[in-house]
Amino acid sequence: MTTDTHTSPIDPWTDLRRAGQVTPVSDEALQAARAAVRRAAMTETLRAKVLRVRRRRLRRTAVGLAAAVVVVSGAVTVRLGDHHVGGSPAAAAVLKRAARATIAQHDPVIGPGQYLKVTLVQRTWGTASGRGGKTLRGKDGQLATFEERWTRTIWIPHDIDAAWTFRERTKVLRNGTTDPALQDHAEPNRIYRQASWAAPLSPYHLQTYDPRWYASLPHSPQALLKAIRKAVGGEGHGAAYDLQEIYSEVLRSGLAPATVRSAVFSALAKTHGLEVEQGVSTPAGRAGVAIGARGGRFQMIFDAKTGQYVGERGTDPGFPAVPGLDADKTTLLASVTTTVVDDAPQVR
Amino acid sequence: MSDGDVVARSLQDPLAFEELVTSLGPRVHAYLARRVPHHADDLLSEVWLEAFGSRGQYDEGRGEVAGWLFGVARHVLMRHLRRVERSRGAAPDDATQHEDWDAVDRRLDASGLAPVLRAALAALSAEEREVLLLVAWEQLSPTEAAAVLGIPAGTARSRLHRARARITDAWNTTAVTTARGEHHS
């Protein structure tokens, strides 16, 4: 009897492939993987949205600043007498005063059934741009610029890990052109519920909205700034960037406790390169003092009378010249308020 | 729309990445199941999260999405094995040395030639064996296997050539011996 191995129905490669046969993946395992990716994608989308808001501030700042340039010769001359630009010692004094005023504040206490209502109001400038980023002009010859007010209100329940309620409202305050084709139209208002931004396992988790993260921060001023910077992230560097993109996120969240906000101001008081501008207006129209990094276009605003932090403002020398829109050189104005309420709006 | 297009689209629309889990998830799971059958389900999500986070690094010019994904899966697998080995107090040299061969053995035993194939595979270097299995089991081309392993394509081809030659020699030798034995019995 002979055996022809070369005509054997099984060769090493067939055997090897058979050895690699496994039970197909279960629907459950595949669904779990899909869900994991979906959660990560939603988180990234949310973070991108937060970044878009930041970029929107920047972009619209640029637009608004141009408007300011239009009025440069007149307005600046007039306002020079009201403004005083100081060095770091002056900025440090404002920040130390803010730290004292802040630590004297009581954090809101949310009882069962109550909500912390955090309202962010942001007034910004925008432009309609064509290819190459050039601002378009309407048929009336005016540049397609616009000013809008965006208000986001969050109702945070006593159980901070439960779903939150959000409301976003946008109102176009004015358009630079009468051309209807290039006028900005307000985004539709919306109200919705979303998983908590504070719950660590939530796909929307953001540390600046998590009281537990604030509680874990170090008390040493420099270590505190370092920890915040590490958590909030970002690719930029320098005092101007940190002020606008890092520490402002803590202050505008409405969830940073007074101890942390006060410590941030104390730490910033020791930061070099900050300067003070007197004679600015607060978002509420009161007399204010602004702190910004030298050469930066973003400032924190403090109430001149109480010393408390009240919001942020931005300017940009690149703002397009827009006749008629020169009354306010500020291109970004934002404020955050928090109150405790007994009800949240119903979401259909 | 190609898998590469989906990856590109997911950079603007992150949720689009989920499509790849549906289309390529079974292959990634099979890769894991062949090596760590009891942990494949758990590691599958880890692989996809890692892939999602690093999708910006995918370069279409360097191969198909599937090959890139196996590279991610191998990275996750190695990390898993290091965790396991650390808990045992040793360090792994490579992923294939720690494969769970039980599942493979059961299948090879059915052919009656399992010892031959197993011995031949064991005689290969770890590097040769990994290239061979990526091609035989994951249906990757030598170039794709090279991308997974982070080695030049020529190196992968030469390793594959050596591995195939040794397996073939072992197979033929054993088959001839077996045939002679049967002839004389």
Side-chain angles (χ1 to χ4, degrees):
Chain A
M1 175 183 174
T2 59
T3 301
D4 183 358
T5 57
H6 297 285
T7 58
S8 168
I10 299 178
D11 61 81
W13 313 119
T14 303
D15 247 10
L16 194 56
R17 278 193 293 274
R18 284 183 185 174
Q21 288 175 355
V22 290
T23 307
V25 60
S26 67
D27 289 342
E28 290 76 13
L30 213 48
Q31 281 173 10
R34 273 198 295 266
V37 167
R38 197 178 311 132
R39 279 196 299 274
M42 289 172 73
T43 300
E44 186 174 298
T45 301
L46 179 70
R47 290 182 193 280
K49 188 176 175 184
V50 171
L51 288 173
R52 271 200 297 277
V53 171
R54 289 185 193 170
R55 290 192 194 106
R56 190 152 102 174
R57 283 188 300 181
L58 292 171
R59 184 175 70 79
R60 295 187 180 186
T61 295
V63 176
L65 230 16
V69 169
V70 174
V71 275
V72 155
S73 55
V76 169
T77 302
V78 170
R79 299 179 75 176
L80 271 178
D82 303 330
H83 287 217
H84 168 74
V85 177
S88 283
V94 171
L95 288 162
K96 286 177 183 174
R97 186 182 175 213
R100 289 194 299 272
T102 303
I103 201 68
Q105 291 180 316
H106 296 289
D107 289 324
V109 178
I110 315 167
Q114 291 186 311
Y115 300 83
L116 179 67
K117 182 181 173 186
V118 181
T119 305
L120 170 65
V121 181
Q122 182 171 291
R123 220 178 87 192
T124 53
W125 286 95
T127 56
S129 302
R131 286 185 179 177
K134 189 176 180 182
T135 302
L136 298 172
R137 279 187 190 278
K139 289 178 181 173
D140 59 0
Q142 302 298 319
L143 289 170
T145 59
F146 54 88
E147 182 187 23
E148 72 172 27
R149 183 177 63 228
W150 180 69
T151 306
R152 185 192 65 199
T153 309
I154 312 176
W155 283 265
I156 302 170
H158 172 69
D159 175 7
I160 200 164
D161 291 338
W164 295 7
T165 303
F166 296 79
R167 185 179 67 200
E168 293 177 4
R169 288 175 171 167
T170 307
K171 181 177 176 60
V172 176
L173 302 174
R174 49 181 165 171
N175 279 292
T177 173
T178 56
D179 187 340
L182 291 180
Q183 289 204 345
D184 188 61
H185 300 284
E187 294 172 17
N189 297 333
R190 65 187 193 130
I191 185 164
Y192 55 98
R193 279 168 69 80
Q194 199 170 68
S196 166
W197 287 10
L201 296 180
S202 162
Y204 300 101
H205 181 243
L206 289 172
Q207 283 167 308
T208 48
Y209 287 82
D210 182 356
R212 287 160 290 213
W213 176 69
Y214 286 116
S216 73
L217 289 173
H219 298 293
S220 155
Q222 291 313 312
L224 174 73
L225 292 190
K226 191 176 176 183
I228 292 172
R229 201 187 188 296
K230 184 179 179 184
V232 177
E235 300 297 323
H237 54 81
Y241 175 85
D242 287 356
L243 211 60
Q244 177 165 353
E245 302 296 332
I246 305 294
Y247 310 128
S248 72
E249 289 298 313
V250 168
L251 298 172
R252 65 180 8 229
S253 74
L255 283 167
T259 50
V260 170
R261 285 181 280 131
S262 176
V264 166
F265 296 138
S266 295
L268 288 176
K270 296 177 181 174
T271 301
H272 294 292
L274 300 185
E275 56 189 22
V276 61
E277 183 176 355
Q278 304 280 356
V280 303
S281 293
T282 70
R286 292 198 294 270
V289 183
I291 296 292
R294 192 170 295 128
R297 299 166 180 175
F298 175 87
Q299 295 172 318
M300 294 178 174
I301 314 173
F302 301 87
D303 189 295
K305 188 175 180 182
T306 66
Q308 291 180 346
Y309 171 83
V310 289
E312 56 191 46
R313 71 196 286 263
T315 55
D316 191 331
F319 190 75
V322 184
L325 296 182
D326 56 353
D328 185 1
K329 71 178 270 186
T330 303
T331 54
L332 160 71
L333 200 57
S335 64
V336 178
T337 54
T338 57
T339 54
V340 176
V341 296
D342 294 329
D343 296 299
Q346 295 297 310
V347 179
R348 293 176 185 170
Chain B
M1 182 178 285
S2 71
D3 291 338
D5 292 337
V6 174
V7 174
R9 184 157 62 89
S10 75
L11 295 174
Q12 299 300 323
D13 174 16
L15 285 167
F17 199 78
E18 195 182 332
E19 291 175 28
L20 292 177
V21 184
T22 303
S23 59
L24 295 173
R27 287 185 66 187
V28 174
H29 183 271
Y31 170 83
L32 296 167
R34 287 174 186 124
R35 290 156 179 85
V36 282
H38 301 301
H39 300 280
D41 285 1
D42 293 336
L43 292 181
L44 183 64
S45 293
E46 204 173 324
V47 169
W48 282 102
L49 282 177
E50 184 111 356
F52 176 79
S54 60
R55 69 193 191 284
Q57 297 167 22
Y58 168 65
D59 179 0
E60 200 163 13
R62 296 178 63 186
E64 296 292 320
V65 171
W68 167 72
L69 268 174
F70 282 118
V72 175
R74 181 177 185 269
H75 175 72
V76 170
L77 177 66
M78 291 292 287
R79 194 167 58 206
H80 165 77
L81 294 173
R82 276 195 293 272
R83 280 199 300 263
V84 172
E85 290 303 315
R86 266 200 300 272
S87 68
R88 292 174 182 167
D93 296 325
D94 65 88
T96 52
Q97 287 180 351
H98 298 270
E99 289 165 354
D100 183 342
W101 286 102
D102 291 347
V104 177
D105 289 344
R106 281 195 292 275
R107 289 173 175 79
L108 289 173
D109 285 344
S111 72
L113 290 170
V116 177
L117 203 47
R118 287 172 58 193
L121 285 169
L124 298 177
S125 72
E127 293 78 13
E128 291 167 348
R129 192 165 58 238
E130 193 165 14
V131 173
L132 179 72
L133 295 183
L134 283 171
V135 172
W137 284 355
E138 317 313 334
Q139 307 290 299
L140 298 183
S141 69
T143 303
E144 288 171 331
V148 170
L149 299 171
I151 59 176
T155 305
R157 277 194 290 273
S158 61
R159 286 180 186 174
L160 183 64
H161 175 76
R162 284 197 301 271
R164 280 176 166 160
R166 290 185 189 183
I167 293 285
T168 302
D169 286 349
W171 178 274
N172 289 339
T173 302
T174 307
V176 168
T177 303
T178 304
R180 284 175 180 162
E182 287 180 0
H183 179 72
H184 293 295
S185 63

